[in-house]
């Protein structure tokens, strides 16, 4: 009996000890988890700048914050949010390019800005106000795209801007809304087949663009001529002061459309994923804009926009919208 | 020979002279002996020759003096200053073209295009006129020829901008920017170089004219004084030797020379004074007004380009602010020196210059405020409209006033130049006529005395 009784007591004690240990462990884990959550909350503003790095570490520089879900209704933006501030102001301020035919350009006939980027910006305005005209465009050039975001002159910039790690150190990007690639434009009678054939020739690029950085790597023997805008390049090209223009294929398609004596050559030299630039600390706005973009991609709006602006110019059938990749 | 009465009179004169000769005063003996080395007729002939010689010198020097003044009037009033005004107008028409091209591009339509075309045609005429100036050297002629070519290049770029604009191509704005850059980096500096050349030429001509004027005026007065001295000698000689109180003909010649000298001096001084006023005041006002007008067109161009070059227009906004600030000062300076006695219409326009400019600046401020406030459509409408509270309308009122003041000041300048020329126009040949008359009168005056010695 005693032995059996002792064994029973031992078993009971062991169970109690196990439960106590289990309880303590659970409590500890809970406390640890709570502490981690608290640390995450406190450190959120500090850690958010490194999200890009996290994304970069994950291998996808184009990854952006997951879209807001559910999306707020127009004119019902969440209190305290970036969108609410924009709603209260009464207009969305957007930096756009005004001389990139097909994407963002001032139509001299209508004196209105038009293009794929302009329509994309209007989608965001419509999502906030229910009215796509509640928008103020501020024209930017390649070199001023990031500064206008950083100094708060605009709410966002949508201007054929490639998402890359260096820029993500300075601003936040939406998910990819268009996937372009660098190519080269030459005279129609040129025998060049690619940028490799442009040794010793002058290639015009916009200042501050990714193409300006790519050319020395793609062909160190090509001479660079950096100017303010794409259209400045086209003027120099038509004056015979440069031999070629290098930029994204969609930009070059717009330039070639303005000059029947020009042609775009070669395969895509690089991938240029376009994103909408926003302030670094506006993560709520980034999620909101991603919601607008993903909606446009899924409901056919994106495809319609492609058909409207690029379908007749770019060869082949309309591609599928670029897939968004996200971080939490 | 002569009549018996004349022979008797001659004998009386000779007797009197012999009496005078036989009773010389001891004190003046030596001097009298010296005077006696020349006979009376010889003295009279020398006097006549002296009058002839000094009259000739006076005629030549006065002609030189008047001619040099007329040359200065031509060089300054009819060449250098009009050439500078011409170049200033070239500057103004250049930027007027640029301003209207930008405004047309913005939506100013046919009205802006017509103004551009008028300015372009006027510019062509001005450059052709500038190239024909005799004051130009080879370098300046080459500069004008190059400017004429560059204006063609500019016009070509504007045409290309228009052609692209008609097709809705954004490259059109780039061509407009290139054309405007050509205007400001090449054509305007070339015009400034020509302005400096002519300004230097004007100052050199004016300095030369001033020194020549002084020298020739002094020489003419000296020649006239020499002539008067000879005439005075003759008068005194006749008075002492022949007890004649006044020889009327010599006296008349003296009065004629005194009158001519005074009129020559007054005429040259008046001419110089009118020319100095034209150069120092009227030209300064004209130059300032044209510079202000060019600056105003330039500012107007910046206003349009600010809207055209959206996102890249900061330099045009800054340019407009800098130019209008500079223009306010130029307007104050220019209107302060505008002649007080210009036409009534010009005076009224002058009073309207600064208020109308202030109204234009106010409209420009409103345009920028509209654009920055997000109402680009309204900003463009205001920038291209011709209403009282719109840019083209308010600028037209300022420019109309400016044109009236410039025209009034130019008319005043031309009037001064004509008065400068008119003050001495009749003096050019008058010197010779007066000299001949003086010689003739002297001959008339001395001939009876000389005849008294004829046997």
């Amino acid at each position: 009996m005693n032995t059996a009784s002792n064994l029973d007591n031992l078993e009971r004690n062991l169970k109690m000890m196990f439960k106590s240990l289990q309880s303590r462990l659970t409590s500890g884990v809970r406390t640890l988890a709570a502490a981690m959550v608290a640390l995450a909350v406190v450190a959120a503003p500090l850690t958010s700048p490194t999200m890009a790095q996290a994304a970069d570490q994950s291998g996808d520089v184009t990854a952006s914050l997951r879209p807001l879900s559910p999306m707020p209704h127009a004119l019902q933006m969440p209190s305290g949010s970036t969108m609410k501030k924009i709603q209260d102001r009464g207009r969305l301020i957007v930096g756009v390019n005004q001389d990139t035919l097909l994407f963002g350009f001032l139509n001299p006939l209508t004196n209105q800005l038009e293009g794929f980027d302009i329509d994309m910006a209007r989608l965001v305005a419509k999502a906030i106000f229910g009215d796509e005209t509640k928008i103020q465009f501020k024209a930017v050039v390649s070199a001023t795209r990031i500064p206008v975001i950083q100094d708060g002159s605009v709410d966002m910039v949508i201007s054929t801007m490639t998402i890359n790690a260096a820029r993500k150190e300075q601003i936040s990007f939406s998910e990819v809304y268009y996937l372009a690639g660098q190519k080269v434009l030459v005279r129609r009678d040129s025998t060049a087949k690619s940028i490799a054939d442009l040794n010793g020739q002058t290639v015009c690029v916009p200042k501050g663009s990714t193409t300006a950085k790519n050319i020395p790597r793609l062909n160190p023997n090509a001479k660079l001529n950096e100017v303010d805008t794409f259209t400045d390049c086209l003027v120099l090209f038509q004056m015979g002061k440069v031999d070629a223009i290098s930029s994204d294929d969609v930009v070059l398609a717009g330039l070639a459309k303005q000059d029947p004596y020009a042609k775009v050559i070669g395969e895509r030299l690089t991938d240029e994923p376009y994103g909408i630039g926003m302030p670094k600390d506006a993560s709520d706005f980034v999620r909101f804009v991603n919601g607008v973009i993903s909606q446009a991609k899924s409901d056919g709006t994106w495809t319609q926009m492609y058909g409207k602006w690029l379908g007749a110019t770019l060869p082949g059938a309309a591609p599928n919208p670029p897939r968004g990749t996200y971080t939490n | 020979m002569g009549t018996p009465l004349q022979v008797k009179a001659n004998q009386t004169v000779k007797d009197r002279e012999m009496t005078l000769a036989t009773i010389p005063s001891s004190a003046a003996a030596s001097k009298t002996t010296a005077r006696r080395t020349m006979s009376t007729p010889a003295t009279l002939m020398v006097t006549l020759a002296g009058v002839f010689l000094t009259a000739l010198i006076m005629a030549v020097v006065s002609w030189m003096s008047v001619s040099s003044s007329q040359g200065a009037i031509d060089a300054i009033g009819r060449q250098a200053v009009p050439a500078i005004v011409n170049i200033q107008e070239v500057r103004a028409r250049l930027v007027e073209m640029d301003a209207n091209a930008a405004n047309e591009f913005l939506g100013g339509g046919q009205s802006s295009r017509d103004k551009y075309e008028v300015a372009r045609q006027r510019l062509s005429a001005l450059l052709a006129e500038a190239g024909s100036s005799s004051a130009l050297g080879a370098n300046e002629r080459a500069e004008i020829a190059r400017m004429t070519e560059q204006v063609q290049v500019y016009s070509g770029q504007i045409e290309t901008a228009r052609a692209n604009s008609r097709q809705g191509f954004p490259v059109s704005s780039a061509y407009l920017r290139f054309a405007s850059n050509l205007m400001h980096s090449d054509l305007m500096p070339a015009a400034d170089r020509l302005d400096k050349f002519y300004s230097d030429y004007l100052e050199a001509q004016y300095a030369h004219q001033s020194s020549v004027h002084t020298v020739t005026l002094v020489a003419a007065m000296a020649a006239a004084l020499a002539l008067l001295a000879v005439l005075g000698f003759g008068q005194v000689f006749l008075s002492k030797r022949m007890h004649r109180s006044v020889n009327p003909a010599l006296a008349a010649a003296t009065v004629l020379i005194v009158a001519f000298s005074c009129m020559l001096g007054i005429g040259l001084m008046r001419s110089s004074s009118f020319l100095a006023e034209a150069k120092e005041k009227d030209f300064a006002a004209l130059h300032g007004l044209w510079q202000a007008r060019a600056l105003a067109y330039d500012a107007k161009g910046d206003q349009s380009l600010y809207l055209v070059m959206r996102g890249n227009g900061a330099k045009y906004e800054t340019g407009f602010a800098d130019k209008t600030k500079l223009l306010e000062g130029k307007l104050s300076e220019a209107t302060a020196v505008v002649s007080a006695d210009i036409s009534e219409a010009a005076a009224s326009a002058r009073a309207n210059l600064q208020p109308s400019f202030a109204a234009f600046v106010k409209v420009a401020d409103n345009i920028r405020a509209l654009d920055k406030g997000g109402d680009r459509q309204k900003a463009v409408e205001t920038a291209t409209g011709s209403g009282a509270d719109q840019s083209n309308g308010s600028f037209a009122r300022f420019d109309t006033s400016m044109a009236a003041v410039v025209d009034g000041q130019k008319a005043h300048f031309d009037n001064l130049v004509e008065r400068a020329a008119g003050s001495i126009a009749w003096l050019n040949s008058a010197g010779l006529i007066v000299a001949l008359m003086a010689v003739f009168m002297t001959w008339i005056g001395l001939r009876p005395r000389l005849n008294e010695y004829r046997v």
Side-chain angles (χ1 to χ4, degrees):
Chain A
M1 274 300 284
N2 287 338
T3 304
S5 174
N6 288 339
L7 284 172
D8 285 344
N9 286 336
L10 180 62
E11 184 183 0
R12 204 164 36 242
N13 288 336
L14 284 170
K15 282 180 178 176
M16 285 179 65
M17 283 175 64
F18 180 75
K19 281 183 179 176
S20 172
L21 183 61
Q22 188 179 33
S23 172
R24 286 182 183 183
L25 277 172
T26 305
S27 173
V29 168
R30 281 177 183 165
T31 304
L32 182 62
M36 286 176 70
V37 169
L39 184 62
V41 169
V42 170
L46 300 173
T47 55
S48 59
T50 61
M51 280 180 183
Q53 293 165 357
D56 293 345
Q57 286 162 7
S58 73
D60 186 0
V61 75
T62 65
S64 182
L65 295 174
R66 195 168 294 283
L68 203 58
S69 182
M71 287 285 280
H73 293 298
L75 294 175
Q76 294 176 14
M77 296 300 117
S79 180
S81 67
T82 306
M83 296 80 79
K84 179 64 175 171
K85 288 176 192 166
I86 295 168
Q87 180 189 322
D88 291 345
R89 185 203 296 141
R91 65 185 190 280
L92 174 70
I93 304 176
V94 186
V96 294
N97 202 323
Q98 71 159 18
D99 63 355
T100 309
L101 192 65
L102 308 177
F103 264 72
F105 67 101
L106 184 69
N107 187 334
L109 302 177
T110 61
N111 214 15
Q112 295 293 322
L113 286 161
E114 297 176 1
F116 190 96
D117 280 351
I118 304 300
D119 283 0
M120 189 63 79
R122 290 191 190 283
L123 288 180
V124 178
K126 190 171 184 181
I128 296 174
F129 298 102
D131 180 355
E132 65 174 26
T133 65
K134 299 276 188 185
I135 193 165
Q136 178 189 352
F137 291 114
K138 286 195 172 181
V140 296
V141 294
S142 296
T144 60
R145 290 179 296 195
I146 290 177
V148 294
I149 295 173
Q150 290 177 320
D151 68 14
S153 302
V154 299
D155 297 316
M156 62 187 214
V157 164
I158 176 163
S159 174
T160 59
M161 183 155 55
T162 301
I163 303 169
N164 63 31
R167 286 175 180 159
K168 286 188 88 168
E169 292 293 328
Q170 303 172 73
I171 57 172
S172 294
F173 276 102
S174 70
E175 66 178 83
V176 179
Y177 71 88
Y178 191 88
L179 185 61
Q182 186 176 349
K183 285 192 175 184
V184 180
L185 177 143
V186 295
R187 290 188 180 77
R188 175 166 279 187
D189 58 0
S190 171
T191 56
K193 300 292 182 193
S194 73
I195 193 164
D197 299 327
L198 297 177
N199 287 347
Q201 297 194 38
T202 306
V203 181
C204 188
V205 292
K207 285 176 192 166
S209 64
T210 49
T211 48
K213 295 179 179 69
N214 291 338
I215 294 293
R217 179 172 55 80
L218 296 167
N219 186 346
N221 297 320
K223 298 174 192 167
L224 264 189
N225 186 347
E226 295 188 61
V227 296
D228 285 337
T229 66
F230 304 116
T231 47
D232 284 356
C233 278
L234 185 57
V235 172
L236 293 176
F237 179 78
Q238 291 178 339
M239 286 178 172
K241 293 182 177 175
V242 299
D243 302 300
I245 304 170
S246 184
S247 188
D248 300 343
D249 50 1
V250 288
V251 172
L252 295 182
L255 296 183
K257 196 170 182 179
Q258 298 174 69
D259 187 347
Y261 298 101
K263 64 179 179 183
V264 180
I265 58 168
E267 296 299 314
R268 277 187 176 177
L269 302 166
T270 59
D271 280 340
E272 305 292 338
Y274 291 166
I276 299 175
M278 284 162 279
K280 197 73 179 156
D281 57 355
S283 55
D284 56 344
F285 191 43
V286 173
R287 290 181 190 279
F288 179 81
V289 169
N290 284 346
V292 174
I293 294 172
S294 61
Q295 176 77 20
K297 288 176 180 174
S298 60
D299 67 7
T301 304
W302 189 96
T303 306
Q304 282 179 359
M305 284 165 54
Y306 182 93
K308 178 182 176 184
W309 294 111
L310 304 167
T313 305
L314 295 181
N320 290 325
R323 190 177 60 82
T325 54
Y326 306 109
T327 57
N328 289 320
Chain B
M1 298 294 290
T3 62
L5 188 60
Q6 284 174 322
V7 171
K8 188 179 177 183
N10 288 343
Q11 189 60 47
T12 306
V13 170
K14 288 175 182 173
D15 293 346
R16 188 164 60 238
E17 288 181 357
M18 287 176 69
T19 305
L20 287 168
T22 54
I23 49 171
S25 68
S26 57
S30 60
K31 288 184 181 176
T32 306
T33 304
R35 285 193 200 113
R36 286 294 161 78
T37 57
M38 190 176 287
S39 68
T40 298
T43 305
L44 290 176
M45 285 305 291
V46 167
T47 303
L48 184 58
V51 167
F52 178 79
L53 188 63
T54 52
L56 184 65
I57 292 171
M58 185 200 75
V60 170
V61 173
S62 65
W63 176 82
M64 286 173 61
S65 181
V66 172
S67 292
S68 71
S69 292
Q70 285 176 331
I73 291 167
D74 279 340
I76 295 170
R78 293 172 181 146
Q79 286 185 33
V81 169
I84 294 173
V85 171
N86 176 305
I87 291 299
Q88 286 297 320
E89 187 175 353
V90 164
R91 290 181 80 252
R93 298 305 171 200
L94 284 170
V95 278
E96 184 186 9
M97 281 172 68
D98 207 40
N100 283 310
N103 201 259
E104 178 195 343
F105 193 87
L106 200 57
Q110 193 62 37
S111 169
S112 296
R113 185 172 189 146
D114 290 346
K115 286 178 189 168
Y116 169 90
E117 195 54 34
V118 168
R120 193 186 65 77
Q121 289 176 7
R122 175 70 182 143
L123 180 64
S124 297
L126 287 167
L127 285 172
E129 196 180 320
S132 66
S133 170
S134 58
L136 293 176
N139 290 342
E140 289 71 34
R141 285 186 199 286
E143 186 88 276
I144 289 175
R146 205 184 59 79
M147 279 182 76
T148 306
E149 287 174 11
Q150 291 299 88
V151 168
Q152 298 299 320
V153 173
Y154 173 87
S155 300
Q157 290 180 353
I158 294 296
E159 285 303 325
T160 309
R162 283 175 178 159
N164 280 289
S165 178
R166 280 190 210 102
Q167 298 174 80
F169 290 161
V171 74
S172 53
S173 64
Y175 270 103
L176 185 69
R177 189 166 60 251
F178 270 69
S180 188
N181 287 345
L182 174 69
M183 178 68 70
H184 288 89
S185 65
D186 195 308
L187 284 163
M188 292 295 279
D192 288 340
R193 285 193 292 275
L194 285 173
D195 181 62
K196 175 152 191 335
F197 166 79
Y198 274 121
S199 297
D200 292 347
Y201 174 77
L202 171 66
E203 292 306 324
Q205 284 291 327
Y206 191 66
H208 176 70
Q209 183 271 341
S210 297
S211 61
V212 170
H213 171 78
T214 305
V215 169
T216 53
L217 182 60
V218 168
M221 290 299 113
L225 283 174
L227 177 54
L228 287 173
V230 176
L231 287 170
F233 169 79
Q235 195 72 265
V236 169
F237 180 79
L238 287 175
S239 174
K240 285 187 175 176
R241 185 65 55 87
M242 297 180 176
H243 296 288
R244 305 280 173 173
S245 54
V246 173
N247 183 306
L250 285 183
T254 304
V255 169
L256 179 66
I257 297 302
V258 168
F260 173 71
S261 301
C262 290
M263 294 181 83
L264 178 68
I266 291 169
L268 287 171
M269 297 295 283
R270 273 170 58 84
S271 174
S272 179
S273 172
F274 285 136
L275 192 60
E277 185 182 348
K279 187 262 178 187
E280 299 291 348
K281 293 183 179 174
D282 284 40
F283 166 66
L286 264 178
H287 196 256
L289 286 168
W290 271 114
Q291 282 193 321
R293 198 174 186 183
L295 208 50
Y297 283 128
D298 211 3
K300 179 75 167 65
D302 279 354
Q303 182 198 62
S304 295
L305 287 167
Y306 163 75
L307 289 175
V308 173
M309 306 300 169
R310 299 178 60 186
N312 225 2
K315 78 169 184 177
Y316 299 107
E317 184 180 10
T318 309
F320 180 85
D322 292 345
K323 285 164 193 168
T324 49
K325 190 176 177 184
L326 189 60
L327 187 51
E328 283 165 5
K330 284 264 179 203
L331 274 181
S332 296
E333 288 172 18
T335 52
V337 293
V338 164
S339 303
D341 55 342
I342 50 175
S343 68
E344 195 175 327
S348 170
R350 177 180 61 179
N352 193 41
L353 265 184
Q354 283 166 308
S356 60
F357 180 69
F360 165 69
V361 172
K362 192 175 173 186
V363 170
D365 291 344
N366 185 36
I367 289 170
R368 282 197 306 283
L370 284 168
D371 183 62
K372 289 181 176 175
D375 196 347
R376 175 176 167 83
Q377 193 61 36
K378 181 78 174 167
V380 170
E381 283 173 15
T382 309
T384 54
S386 55
D389 56 350
Q390 293 176 309
S391 180
N392 289 353
S394 64
F395 188 81
R397 273 187 296 286
F398 164 74
D399 196 46
T400 303
S401 298
M402 178 60 93
V405 179
V406 166
D407 289 347
Q409 188 63 62
K410 180 69 168 57
H412 193 270
F413 173 85
D414 290 343
N415 180 256
L416 280 178
V417 171
E418 290 311 311
R419 289 173 75 184
S423 299
I424 53 172
W426 65 278
L427 289 169
N428 206 4
S429 53
L432 182 61
I433 293 169
V434 166
L436 289 174
M437 286 176 70
V439 171
F440 180 71
M441 287 175 179
T442 306
W443 167 247
I444 294 293
L446 297 183
R447 190 179 63 173
R449 304 288 80 77
L450 286 168
N451 284 342
E452 288 176 357
Y453 290 90
R454 288 183 182 172
V455 178

